Amino acid sequence: MNKEQLLGKLDELKSDYVRIQGDMDKLEYVKGRVSSAEGQLVRLEGEIAEVRKQLEELEKEE
């Protein structure tokens, strides 16, 4: 992936993270099950970290 693609992917992941976090807040408010949302957040955190790592490597090459 090039830098623009990675930045787009990072924006997408951040947007998903914020959306799921909001959903989780709603679930907590109505005493719903949040474990699935928590798992998704952990997965997204890992993906965000990986994309950031790839961006750093690209920037070092420039």
Side-chain angles (χ1 to χ4, degrees):
M1 281 192 192
N2 64 29
K3 188 174 182 176
E4 291 80 26
Q5 291 172 320
L6 287 171
L7 289 172
K9 179 71 173 174
L10 187 59
D11 286 342
E12 181 182 318
L13 290 169
K14 287 179 180 181
S15 176
D16 288 347
Y17 189 92
V18 170
R19 179 184 50 80
I20 292 169
Q21 194 171 39
D23 291 348
M24 192 172 84
D25 290 343
K26 291 175 191 172
L27 285 170
E28 285 178 337
Y29 181 74
V30 296
K31 308 224 186 300
R33 203 174 111 234
V34 297
S35 59
S36 175
E38 288 174 337
Q40 290 177 343
L41 290 178
V42 169
R43 180 185 57 80
L44 284 170
E45 288 170 358
E47 288 185 44
I48 289 169
E50 180 60 32
V51 170
R52 285 185 172 156
K53 180 180 173 185
Q54 291 175 10
L55 278 169
E56 285 178 15
E57 290 173 4
L58 276 178
E59 289 175 355
K60 286 180 183 176
E61 293 175 3
E62 292 179 351

